Amino acid sequence: MKEKLLFIFNPRSGKGTYTSRLTDILTVLSNGGYRVETYPTQKHGDAAERAMRAEEDIAVVAAAGGDGTLNEVINGLYAGRHPLPVGYIPVGSTNDFAASLELPGDPVKAAELIVKRNTRAIDLGLFNDSTFVYVAAFGAFTNVAYETDQKLKNIFGHAAYILSGVRAIGEIKAYPMTVTIRKDEDGTEQVSEGRFIYGMITNSISVGGFRNITGKYVALSDGLFEVTLIREPKDILDLQGIVATLLGSAAGSPLVENYKTSAISFVTEEPIPWTLDGEFGGNHKEVRINNLKEVLQICI
């Protein structure tokens, strides 16, 4: 009997045009030796709920959608304790994680990779009790991805994030916080305190569609996150220095801190909003983030 593949897809991801190729995608998966069960999501949380109750006869779960859909599927599998390999057909607006894995943008070609049954073990992020695949972030512009209207994303793509960001630029807020970073060389901890406007903990070469913004020598299976923290600028010159540093056109701003670590924690005076893989991750006063080394099997 053929192995069973659970195909979870978000029909609203990206421009939605990929749904016209669903028959081709399903044909590839079926001809690749799988019995395919399809599950179209209808609302936020559907993908996680279905993945969480994955049956024992399922051999692999394939997710078609954006990075948010992939995040839901992996969260559901983790919560349900289903260590199943995951295939990803990236059809969202940005597809940061697909860039890290060098997955093809053509959904049929992405489906062809899944049936080859080649997997790679990569790290997964544990954010308190939730998981994230490639980025956890707070602060300036992190609300852009989930507050940008889906229709605007579908029409303008990356430009939608920029348009929404322009509206938010005058509302950048600084958060007083204590950040504790594990020093993996000797197991000690480093504490960084102050007012921060932005922070991202990543396992990706691309965030928000910008490649290489997470730093050099990024490895997806090394048990380490790349961390970027940005302190509050005092004036426009400080802000220009921050932007130049992030774009790689300056030697470095003292307001931009970079770390590599397997564990990091944040304590703030008030709950602050976080995003996980571009989706709203809740408001938190205390956050613990740990790297789960090579626990995710992803089809490549």
Side-chain angles (χ1 to χ4, degrees), residues 268-287:
T268 58
E269 298 176 355
E270 59 181 285
I272 65 172
W274 284 77
T275 64
L276 303 178
D277 296 336
E279 301 292 324
F280 181 53
N283 297 300
H284 305 272
K285 289 180 67 176
E286 295 187 15
V287 166

Side-chain angles (χ1 to χ4, degrees), residues 10 34 44 57 104 137-138 162 196 199 206 219 225 230 232 242 244 263 273:
N10 182 351
Y34 288 111
H44 179 74
D57 62 339
F138 71 86
I162 297 172
F196 295 88
S206 174
F225 296 118
I230 301 178
E232 182 180 28
I242 290 170

Side-chain angles (χ1 to χ4, degrees), residues 170-202:
E171 302 172 6
I172 294 177
K173 182 177 180 180
Y175 300 98
M177 61 174 57
T178 300
V179 185
T180 304
I181 306 105
R182 175 184 171 85
K183 300 178 69 174
D184 290 273
E185 299 83 4
D186 55 16
T188 60
E189 294 181 335
Q190 176 179 341
V191 177
S192 184
E193 296 182 311
R195 294 171 59 83
F196 295 88
I197 65 168
Y198 180 76
M200 63 179 178
I201 299 87
T202 64

Side-chain angles (χ1 to χ4, degrees), residues 16-285:
T17 56
Y18 87 96
T19 54
S20 65
R21 306 189 68 187
L22 278 178
T23 299
D24 295 332
I25 294 170
L26 294 173
T27 298
V28 168
L29 298 176
S30 180
N31 288 345
Y34 288 111
R35 291 182 293 120
V36 182
E37 176 187 331
T38 61
Y39 186 84
T41 63
Q42 301 297 316
K43 61 183 185 299
H44 179 74
D46 271 0
E49 189 276 333
R50 180 63 187 93
M52 185 167 58
R53 55 183 177 85
E55 294 82 2
E56 291 185 0
D57 62 339
I58 294 174
V60 61
V61 177
D67 292 329
T69 302
L70 179 66
N71 172 277
E72 280 200 28
V73 168
I74 293 173
N75 255 297
L77 291 175
Y78 184 84
R81 298 185 179 181
H82 306 299
L84 295 171
V86 176
Y88 184 30
I89 299 176
V91 290
S93 300
T94 306
N95 304 316
D96 282 315
F97 190 61
S100 294
L101 293 174
E102 298 182 349
L103 297 179
D106 183 291
V108 175
K109 291 186 181 301
E112 290 172 352
L113 288 183
I114 296 172
V115 300
K116 289 183 178 180
R117 292 172 169 77
N118 295 324
T119 61
R120 173 184 176 185
I122 64 172
D123 302 339
L124 186 64
L126 182 63
F127 178 97
N128 289 345
D129 296 324
S130 300
T131 62
F132 64 95
V133 181
Y134 74 97
V135 61
F138 71 86
F141 303 110
T142 53
N143 64 328
V144 169
Y146 61 81
E147 289 188 357
T148 301
D149 183 81
Q150 182 66 48
K151 292 181 180 178
L152 190 63
K153 291 181 186 178
N154 292 347
I155 295 171
F156 294 107
H158 288 131
Y161 296 97
I162 297 172
L163 291 171
S164 295
V166 168
R167 293 200 303 265
I169 198 168
E171 302 172 6
I172 294 177
K173 182 177 180 180
Y175 300 98
M177 61 174 57
T178 300
V179 185
T180 304
I181 306 105
R182 175 184 171 85
K183 300 178 69 174
D184 290 273
E185 299 83 4
D186 55 16
T188 60
E189 294 181 335
Q190 176 179 341
V191 177
S192 184
E193 296 182 311
R195 294 171 59 83
F196 295 88
I197 65 168
Y198 180 76
M200 63 179 178
I201 299 87
T202 64
N203 192 42
S204 174
I205 65 170
S206 174
V207 172
F210 295 95
R211 296 176 69 90
N212 303 319
I213 198 173
T214 58
K216 298 179 180 179
Y217 314 116
V218 175
L220 304 185
S221 307
D222 61 357
L224 299 173
F225 296 118
E226 285 67 43
V227 178
T228 299
L229 300 176
I230 301 178
R231 292 182 180 271
E232 182 180 28
K234 295 183 175 61
D235 51 40
I236 190 65
L237 292 178
D238 280 350
L239 187 58
Q240 289 175 347
I242 290 170
V243 173
T245 299
L246 293 177
L247 295 178
S249 59
S253 166
L255 299 179
V256 179
E257 300 178 7
N258 297 106
Y259 306 94
K260 281 183 178 286
T261 182
S262 64
I264 187 170
S265 64
F266 299 80
V267 177
T268 58
E269 298 176 355
E270 59 181 285
I272 65 172
W274 284 77
T275 64
L276 303 178
D277 296 336
E279 301 292 324
F280 181 53
N283 297 300
H284 305 272
K285 289 180 67 176

